[in-house]
Amino acid sequence: MGGFNEDPKAGPHIAAEEIEGHSHSADRLSLEIKGGMGGEFLPNINNEKHEFLDSVSDKGIVVASDGETDEWTDPYTPFPVLDGVAPEPQPLTLRAIIIGCCLGSLVNASNVYLGLKTGFTFGASMFGAIFGFGICKFFQRVAIGIPILGGDFGPQENSIVQAAATGAGGLSGLFVAALPAMYQLGLLDSPTADFGRILTLTLVCSFFGLFFATPLRKFFILQVARELRLVFPSSTATAMTIRSMHAAGTGALDASKKLKALMWTFGGAIVHRIVSYYCVGILYDWHIFTWFFIWGGYNNAAINFENWGWIIEITPAFIGSGMLIGLNTAWSMMAGSVLSWGVIGPLLVHYGVCIGKRPVPNDPKWGQVTSFTSLSGIGKAGWVPSPRYWLLWPGVMIMVCASMAELFIQYRTIYIGFRSAWSHSMAGLNKMALKRGKNVPFLAKHSVAQKSEDHVEDFATADQQVPIWVWVLGLIATVVVLCIIGALQWQMNVGVSILACILGFVFSFLCIQCTGVTDTNPLTAAAKASQLVFGGVTSGSGFSVEHAQFVNLIAGGVANGAAAMATDLVGDFRTGFLLRTPPKSQWYAQAVGTFIAMFLAPGMFVLFMAAYPCVIHPDDYDTCPFSAPSVSAWRAVAQAVTLPDLPIPKSSAIFACVMGGVSIAQACVRHWYLVGPREKWRAYLPNYMAMAISFVVPQTYYSTAALIGAYIVYFWQKKSAKTHALYCYAVAAGLIAGEGLGGFVGACLELGGVSGSTYGTNIGCPRNSC
């Protein structure tokens, strides 16, 4: 994500332990043991405690295989080979790469829309696995004997489709956070004029992470997986889903049902989003209080609720997100909306701390319509902040404090990880020295022999590994290129570029380890930490404010983008390891997908900015369909660490510090006090990251839609746990990706001059404008 997407896989989770503070870890997913179902995942929205690791090591997990059951008793070994599935000597096929890249491209286009609109992005892993299964199986049936399209399709090739989709669906985080923030601060010209250097920046972010993550497969999947209990729950869920779909009998039947559900919801969400552009007030935004205001003769208090954004939006994407995040996170978002836009905001205006703007004060009907979301004129003489600006700082402070607290609380696990990395590195160097007949006491002292019980056998032979020269030369080349383009295009000296690379590696290490243990990717913490580091580097170094902000956002974006890409790749390696997919084949598939994304993501960004320039020039527009919360967060932190006199209202700063302290205190209480018999109370603690999003996003309808989605799942599971387990993720994924792609089509219609703003109706909207 951009700023908020903590789990790039965005699929079902099997949490090793409960973690507060990130969108998809709020509700646990337990593994349903079913004899002929291939292993289904049931969202446990009651937050019951299920220790996935303990159940695996002590009892084993039953996975279906042609109507029989196999015991997978060790989560650090590959799955048993499926009966009835033909061997796959070469799973890396042109068919798999093309289909995977096409599916990833759909997600990429969706993510730019969703990221700018809500701050969330959607991972392509599970979407590519399920959709890719259906497409490839279709070609297997109808294209018998046709080169490229025809041929058998097995679980390993399915994982290649998934890897290519992950690569092609990535990189959107940079374009919904750091880059738009630079335009808002006036540091860049225009996306069209800057396209060349945006392209080179994307190249470095993507392939730097891709290359240096390659050797981490051996470290995280093999060397320390058992020691650190790294099961990568989402990646394991993807592998189990792929395996279950390829199981004979009920596995294939269930896969067909999931695919149909995914296709219907995906298509329906696309159609709904496109058609709704032409009748927004009927099919998308329900301005209920505006209706009451009109029915009351344009003279009643209902308009006050409208002014504060209390409407219902029929957004498939956020209803689908609510189906995944569960009741705790959804209610936390709603609590944040009520607190910020139902209590604090109105009080600030009532006491004169903040003001709103009335666009048509003399209109006899709509003169009472007021906007409280302006970000223009900040710091100028006579300026009074809007509630949105006042609430921005508590929201950002909560994000920083909550994410950092969750990260630091894992200090023991992180320390063990870095200690293991150091000892294994020393052992490798010592082994090389001994082969040359040299005895280096320092290396011998700091080396550690891996315990036999911690050893994980690699199924992949030497010829199936990624050649060392490929990633070594690639890594050196990308670092050199970063130094060159950093100096020539992005005003970064070599030292800053090297520091960005180092931070990218360190944050990758942290993100991979936290994702492997907790299924929580702390990219928000990594992003804010990188901005704080570069704020310290530029402070007192003779940088102008503009130059310091430029370096802060670009270098922070590079470090964050590399960490996101590396985490994705290692997660894919885990999926491939379980399915016995050669790592070299996976790596090449994701590299091709990444190459596609390198052009696609910047292109999507340019297209959306051309259609909706209000995103990068918010001061020039009273309203904008994209609130871009991640952009606001990155911009705010960049200003906070570079401006000598930041115009933060004193009351906002005090409240931000209080809320930040409360979020840290809750994290400590959760992890150190609510343990043992008191652990059951964790389920009732609010999710402060979700609350923070509601502070930053000046629209309440996202929390409403998420709550609707969460309750759909709640009652669905109670009514029919079996159909819920079968269809829930497919339905949610279709809704999310479908609206995102519909948003991309909407941007194209806007540029073509045939959108709803030209030919549509605004019936039911305030001032006839939605």
Side-chain angles (χ1 to χ4, degrees):
M1 165 185 123
F4 307 137
N5 177 30
E6 307 303 336
D7 179 14
K9 303 300 181 186
H13 298 300
I14 309 169
E17 59 177 276
E18 289 189 358
I19 290 296
E20 175 271 345
H22 300 279
S23 63
H24 292 307
S25 58
D27 292 307
R28 326 295 307 274
L29 289 184
S30 60
L31 192 65
E32 169 108 341
I33 309 301
K34 294 186 178 181
M37 294 287 291
E40 294 294 344
F41 299 92
L42 282 179
N44 178 8
I45 57 179
N46 293 318
N47 287 303
E48 295 174 5
K49 180 175 174 55
H50 292 279
E51 291 296 340
F52 174 67
L53 290 174
D54 292 341
S55 67
V56 169
S57 58
D58 297 339
K59 303 176 184 178
I61 286 183
V62 180
V63 290
S65 177
D66 196 19
E68 299 177 359
T69 57
D70 296 328
E71 289 288 339
W72 181 53
T73 58
D74 188 348
Y76 309 106
T77 59
F79 293 146
V81 177
L82 275 172
D83 295 336
V85 175
E88 299 177 78
Q90 183 49 270
L92 181 64
T93 65
L94 190 58
R95 172 179 65 181
I97 292 178
I98 292 174
I99 292 174
C101 288
C102 290
L103 294 174
S105 298
L106 296 179
V107 174
N108 200 308
S110 299
N111 277 340
V112 176
Y113 167 85
L114 295 172
L116 291 174
K117 196 172 180 69
T118 67
F120 288 99
T121 56
F122 175 63
S125 182
M126 191 74 79
F127 180 83
I130 297 175
F131 230 136
F133 172 86
I135 296 173
C136 290
K137 279 294 185 181
F138 171 77
F139 284 128
Q140 180 182 344
R141 290 195 306 268
V142 303
I144 300 174
I146 299 178
I148 300 177
L149 296 179
D152 292 335
F153 177 67
Q156 292 179 10
E157 186 179 355
N158 206 153
S159 71
I160 297 298
V161 176
Q162 170 257 329
T166 301
L171 302 181
S172 56
L174 185 66
F175 298 98
V176 299
L179 270 179
M182 297 186 72
Y183 286 103
Q184 288 190 1
L185 292 170
L187 305 176
L188 295 174
D189 298 326
S190 71
T192 304
D194 297 323
F195 186 77
R197 56 177 175 172
I198 290 176
L199 202 62
T200 55
L201 179 68
T202 309
L203 165 69
V204 170
C205 285
S206 56
F207 282 95
F208 175 64
L210 185 74
F211 286 126
F212 79 67
T214 306
L216 296 182
R217 174 188 182 270
K218 181 178 181 180
F219 179 72
F220 283 110
I221 306 299
L222 301 175
Q223 291 180 337
V224 299
R226 200 183 301 275
E227 179 184 359
L228 300 182
R229 295 164 63 89
L230 303 177
V231 294
F232 295 92
S234 283
S235 300
T236 301
T238 301
M240 287 184 168
T241 299
I242 292 175
R243 188 180 193 278
S244 70
M245 291 190 299
H246 288 270
T250 56
L253 180 60
D254 289 345
S256 176
K257 293 178 179 179
K258 289 179 183 177
L259 179 64
K260 289 179 180 178
L262 179 61
M263 292 178 65
W264 277 107
T265 53
F266 179 68
I270 293 176
V271 173
H272 171 265
R273 176 70 277 211
I274 295 173
V275 174
S276 68
Y277 280 116
Y278 297 91
C279 46
V280 180
I282 299 173
L283 295 179
Y284 200 70
D285 290 336
W286 289 0
H287 294 261
I288 297 176
F289 292 104
T290 289
W291 304 345
F292 284 112
F293 181 66
I294 295 173
W295 297 334
Y298 300 93
N299 186 26
N300 57 53
I303 194 63
N304 295 322
F305 291 91
E306 173 69 43
N307 290 337
W308 287 102
W310 291 100
I311 71 173
I312 295 176
E313 185 168 279
I314 312 301
T315 162
F318 244 69
I319 292 174
S321 296
M323 293 173 68
L324 295 177
I325 64 178
L327 284 175
N328 179 277
T329 303
W331 268 114
S332 297
M333 290 183 66
M334 177 56 73
S337 293
V338 171
L339 181 62
S340 54
W341 304 103
V343 178
I344 296 175
L347 287 175
L348 292 172
V349 173
H350 177 75
Y351 288 104
V353 178
C354 297
I355 61 172
K357 289 185 176 181
R358 291 188 172 180
V360 286
N362 298 321
D363 190 298
K365 293 182 177 180
W366 302 106
Q368 299 180 59
V369 172
T370 309
S371 171
F372 297 107
T373 61
S374 174
L375 294 176
S376 60
I378 296 174
K380 295 181 180 179
W383 168 75
V384 180
S386 68
R388 180 183 181 184
Y389 183 81
W390 194 98
L391 289 164
L392 171 66
W393 298 103
V396 172
M397 179 65 81
I398 294 172
M399 290 180 201
V400 173
C401 292
S403 58
M404 288 292 185
E406 290 292 342
L407 184 63
F408 286 123
I409 281 173
Q410 304 296 328
Y411 72 94
R412 290 182 180 176
T413 302
I414 294 171
Y415 167 74
I416 294 172
F418 276 107
R419 185 185 64 186
S420 298
W422 168 260
S423 60
H424 280 90
S425 298
M426 293 300 100
L429 293 174
N430 187 51
K431 186 177 179 180
M432 294 171 59
L434 292 175
K435 284 184 177 180
R436 294 192 172 121
K438 297 180 180 180
N439 185 17
V440 182
F442 177 83
L443 296 179
K445 178 181 177 181
H446 292 87
S447 299
V448 60
Q450 188 173 32
K451 299 177 182 178
S452 58
E453 61 269 22
D454 290 338
H455 177 69
V456 174
E457 189 71 32
D458 192 0
F459 71 88
T461 58
D463 64 304
Q464 294 178 327
Q465 305 287 352
V466 180
I468 294 178
W469 66 268
V470 170
W471 65 264
V472 169
L473 292 181
L475 182 60
I476 294 173
T478 51
V479 172
V480 171
V481 170
L482 174 60
C483 293
I484 294 174
I485 68 168
L488 298 180
Q489 294 183 324
W490 297 103
Q491 305 175 24
M492 295 194 307
N493 58 47
V494 174
V496 172
S497 297
I498 296 297
L499 179 59
C501 294
I502 295 173
L503 288 179
F505 177 79
V506 173
F507 292 145
S508 297
F509 194 92
L510 294 176
C511 289
I512 293 169
Q513 186 171 343
C514 288
T515 301
V517 175
T518 68
D519 208 27
T520 299
N521 189 350
L523 277 178
T524 296
K528 300 301 172 274
S530 66
Q531 287 190 271
L532 294 176
V533 169
F534 286 111
V537 169
T538 56
S539 177
S541 300
F543 288 80
S544 66
V545 172
E546 292 76 13
H547 190 191
Q549 291 175 348
F550 201 100
V551 170
N552 185 281
L553 290 167
I554 285 298
V558 169
N560 192 57
M565 176 57 67
T567 306
D568 282 355
L569 180 61
V570 174
D572 282 348
F573 277 146
R574 165 68 176 178
T575 300
F577 172 78
L578 294 174
L579 296 171
R580 303 175 186 268
T581 306
K584 181 168 67 174
S585 299
Q586 275 190 292
W587 189 89
Y588 285 135
Q590 194 172 55
V592 173
T594 301
F595 181 78
I596 298 297
M598 187 184 79
F599 296 94
L600 182 64
M604 292 296 102
F605 176 70
V606 171
L607 184 147
F608 273 92
M609 295 308 99
Y612 306 102
C614 59
V615 173
I616 55 178
H617 301 297
D619 296 349
D620 300 337
Y621 300 85
D622 291 330
T623 61
C624 184
F626 295 95
S627 57
S630 294
V631 180
S632 299
W634 277 72
R635 173 181 173 174
V637 175
Q639 289 176 314
V641 297
T642 56
L643 287 176
D645 185 20
L646 187 64
I648 302 179
K650 183 178 180 180
S651 56
S652 175
I654 294 173
F655 184 70
C657 293
V658 171
M659 292 300 292
V662 170
S663 67
I664 293 174
Q666 175 175 296
C668 296
V669 169
R670 178 185 180 88
H671 287 273
W672 289 318
Y673 179 73
L674 297 182
V675 295
R678 293 186 292 268
E679 188 172 353
K680 61 183 178 182
W681 299 108
R682 287 186 178 186
Y684 299 98
L685 295 178
N687 184 317
Y688 272 97
M689 283 295 290
M691 292 183 67
I693 293 171
S694 297
F695 275 73
V696 175
V697 177
Q699 288 88 16
T700 64
Y701 40 78
Y702 295 130
S703 56
T704 304
L707 194 61
I708 292 172
Y711 269 108
I712 288 174
V713 166
Y714 177 79
F715 290 112
W716 185 4
Q717 189 190 33
K718 282 187 173 295
K719 183 69 175 178
S720 176
K722 182 178 180 180
T723 59
H724 168 267
L726 183 63
Y727 293 114
C728 181
Y729 179 81
V731 170
L735 292 174
I736 296 170
E739 182 180 344
L741 190 60
F744 162 72
V745 175
C748 295
L749 295 173
E750 188 73 31
L751 288 177
V754 293
S755 67
S757 61
T758 304
Y759 293 103
T761 177
N762 285 312
I763 294 176
C765 300
R767 295 175 54 214
N768 293 320
S769 175
C770 282

